[in-house]
């Protein structure tokens, strides 16, 4: 007989043992005994409610390995949302990700465990700002990072993520565009512009001056200190939301999924990811031969998502993400165009 009590019973211990086998270096037994009943109950409710959990790479390991059905970067989560057969999507990530799922699956119920999980990039620009940009730069395609509201996407020509931004801009170049406007992350835009220059392209990249409150904090002085502290063989990976001087100093730059793939493939003895710190824990669990050195930089928005809130979400079917259908319809085009172009 199932009971709703959140206790660490033999049944819970047995059902969650394979997950704990991956996470025993990160959670002491007494901490795990507090988390496991949530994981058990969330997984039971998911099946009962025909729900799927999409978990971003920045979710903490208990969520990422314990309850995530599909895990990955923003691009993968959008691609998988478009394909899922489940009736309910619980988005473990931030609000723009839940909106992207709702835009791609208007007939499904999309829940986010904490409606306040925002994003500094998303907050840096409005639909009205994009309308003004279009008036200022007629004919220049607006390439909008997925880290934006539906309203902003609705005014844009094509979306991008950090894993496909360069490819999308190059495809616009191949269509004959000499200039593009990238919104809202100025560092992603400058990093794309630098890559284009290295490849001999003459596409001009204009940009909006938004930034990520987590990635903008890294400095060249930090990198020098990290290398001094952890040895010359330290491999440093950076997310393209970091300033260009950081990418110049790093050994590799890529989206959260691309950084993960790099570690899995190259197995460097010691690595540091200049990005949200929870991801280092997730990668460490899967790569026992790589010493992952954390940066301690956490995204306060991503950190709002916790197991108790996910459980509440499934119990109450809240908080539901609702978008004005007219805006959602217009916002779908740039997302779908991105998904097509990134094939
Ligand atoms: P990714 O697309 O690389 O997962 O990045 C999303 C994000 O918000 C990074 O801060
Ligand atoms: Fe937004 Fe930065 Fe947090 Fe990513 S890490 S969700 S870009 S604030």
């Amino acid at each position: 007989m199932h009971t709703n009590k959140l206790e660490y019973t033999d049944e819970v211990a047995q059902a969650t043992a394979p997950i704990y086998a991956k996470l025993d270096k990160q959670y002491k037994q007494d901490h795990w005994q507090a988390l496991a009943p949530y994981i058990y109950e969330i997984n039971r409710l998911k099946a009962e409610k025909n729900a799927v959990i999409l978990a971003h790479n920045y979710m903490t390991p208990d969520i990422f390995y314990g309850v995530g059905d599909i895990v990955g970067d923003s691009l993968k989560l959008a691609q998988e949302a478009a394909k899922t057969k489940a009736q309910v999507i619980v988005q473990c990530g931030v609000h723009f990700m839940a909106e992207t799922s709702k835009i791609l699956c208007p007939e499904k119920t999309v829940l986010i465990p904490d409606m306040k999980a925002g994003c500094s990039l998303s907050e840096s620009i409005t639909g009205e700002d994009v309308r003004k940009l279009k008036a200022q730069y007629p004919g220049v395609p607006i390439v909008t990072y997925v880290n934006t509201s539906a309203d902003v996407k609705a005014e844009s020509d094509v979306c991008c993520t950090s894993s496909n931004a360069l490819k999308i801009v190059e495809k616009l170049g191949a269509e004959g565009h000499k200039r593009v406007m990238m919104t809202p992350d100025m560092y992603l835009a400058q990093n794309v512009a630098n890559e284009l220059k290295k490849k001999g392209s003459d596409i001009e990249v204009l940009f909006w001056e938004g930034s990520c409150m987590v990635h903008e904090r890294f400095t060249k002085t930090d990198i020098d200190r990290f290398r001094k502290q952890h040895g010359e063989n330290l491999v440093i990976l950076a997310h393209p939301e970091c300033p260009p001087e950081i990418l110049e100093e790093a050994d590799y730059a890529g989206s959260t999924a691309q950084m993960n793939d790099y570690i899995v493939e190259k197995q460097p003895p010691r690595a540091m990811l200049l990005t949200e710190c929870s991801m280092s824990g997730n990668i460490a669990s899967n790569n026992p031969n790589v010493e992952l050195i954390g940066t301690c930089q956490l995204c306060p928005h991503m950190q709002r998502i916790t197991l108790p809130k996910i459980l509440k979400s499934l119990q109450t079917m809240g908080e539901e993400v609702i978008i004005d259908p007219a805006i959602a319809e217009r916002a779908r085009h740039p997302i779908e165009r991105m998904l097509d172009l990134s094939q």
Side-chain angles (χ1 to χ4, degrees):
M1 256 295 269
H2 169 76
T3 69
N4 269 331
K5 278 209 186 127
L6 290 168
E7 286 171 1
Y8 190 69
T9 59
D10 287 347
E11 192 179 329
V12 171
Q14 216 175 358
T16 57
I19 307 168
Y20 191 49
K22 247 184 186 324
L23 301 181
D24 58 358
K25 300 220 172 35
Q26 321 217 21
Y27 299 101
K28 292 209 173 93
Q29 183 58 230
D30 56 342
H31 190 181
W32 182 251
Q33 290 188 13
L35 298 172
Y38 283 96
I39 293 175
Y40 180 81
E41 186 57 10
I42 289 168
N43 287 332
R44 190 191 70 76
L45 270 179
K46 257 185 345 196
E48 190 181 295
K49 306 220 169 175
N50 187 17
V52 66
I53 292 190
L54 304 188
H56 185 259
N57 287 329
Y58 290 164
M59 290 295 101
T60 49
D62 52 342
I63 296 173
F64 189 86
Y65 288 108
V67 301
D69 297 299
I70 293 158
V71 294
D73 65 357
S74 309
L75 179 62
K76 179 165 175 207
L77 297 185
Q79 287 166 329
E80 296 294 331
K83 284 193 258 176
T84 185
K85 299 259 182 298
Q87 187 42 45
V88 178
I89 294 173
V90 183
Q91 195 86 32
C92 292
V94 293
H95 191 257
F96 75 79
M97 296 177 178
E99 276 197 337
T100 302
S101 293
K102 183 67 185 174
I103 291 164
L104 291 170
C105 313
E107 75 295 348
K108 295 192 193 291
T109 304
V110 177
L111 307 175
I112 183 158
D114 189 329
M115 206 46 103
K116 291 201 197 87
C119 169
S120 66
L121 278 166
S122 182
E123 280 144 31
S124 73
I125 190 163
T126 64
E128 179 56 22
D129 292 328
V130 183
R131 280 191 287 278
K132 284 185 187 150
L133 285 176
K134 287 196 289 191
Q136 202 179 343
Y137 300 101
V140 175
I142 309 277
V143 183
T144 287
Y145 199 28
V146 283
N147 296 39
T148 44
S149 66
D151 204 26
V152 168
K153 291 184 177 85
E155 298 296 336
S156 305
D157 295 294
V158 59
C159 286
C160 72
T161 71
S162 55
S163 65
N164 61 21
L166 177 64
K167 193 172 180 178
I168 302 275
V169 172
E170 283 180 318
K171 293 220 171 163
L172 292 172
E175 286 174 12
H177 293 284
K178 292 268 172 252
R179 287 209 291 182
V180 302
M181 165 62 73
M182 290 186 73
T183 72
D185 187 347
M186 62 175 166
Y187 293 136
L188 179 67
Q190 289 165 8
N191 288 323
V192 166
N194 287 343
E195 286 303 310
L196 288 168
K197 220 177 281 164
K198 279 186 210 155
K199 294 173 93 176
S201 163
D202 59 359
I203 304 171
E204 188 188 352
V205 179
L206 308 172
F207 56 84
W208 182 257
E209 290 188 14
S211 58
C212 160
M213 61 192 286
V214 178
H215 293 90
E216 72 180 353
R217 287 190 211 135
F218 295 111
T219 63
K220 187 179 166 320
T221 318
D222 288 336
I223 298 200
D224 294 342
R225 183 166 44 85
F226 295 145
R227 292 219 194 267
K228 216 178 253 168
Q229 223 172 322
H230 302 290
E232 283 301 313
N233 69 349
L234 176 71
V235 173
I236 296 187
L237 295 86
H239 194 275
E241 289 171 10
C242 294
E245 81 215 44
I246 299 297
L247 266 68
E248 261 162 47
E249 296 294 321
D251 300 296
Y252 177 77
S255 78
T256 57
Q258 289 165 337
M259 288 193 273
N260 176 62
D261 294 348
Y262 179 100
I263 299 280
V264 170
E265 198 186 307
K266 307 255 189 226
Q267 293 286 297
R270 181 177 290 169
M272 183 175 231
L273 311 180
L274 302 187
T275 192
E276 217 272 355
C277 201
S278 305
M279 193 170 121
S280 298
N282 293 331
I283 296 187
S285 301
N286 254 350
N287 296 275
N289 298 326
V290 181
E291 185 193 349
L292 262 303
I293 297 162
T295 61
C296 306
Q297 295 283 8
L298 294 169
C299 171
H301 299 290
M302 291 282 182
Q303 294 290 309
R304 281 184 174 275
I305 309 299
T306 61
L307 286 174
K309 288 186 198 168
I310 299 169
L311 177 58
K312 188 165 171 224
S313 220
L314 280 164
Q315 285 168 334
T316 62
M317 297 302 275
E319 305 183 45
E320 187 173 355
V321 176
I322 310 276
I323 309 174
D324 174 341
I327 291 178
E329 181 53 28
R330 290 175 57 222
R332 196 158 57 84
H333 296 292
I335 302 175
E336 285 184 344
R337 191 162 174 215
M338 167 188 82
L339 294 177
D340 284 349
L341 290 178
S342 49
Q343 291 296 331

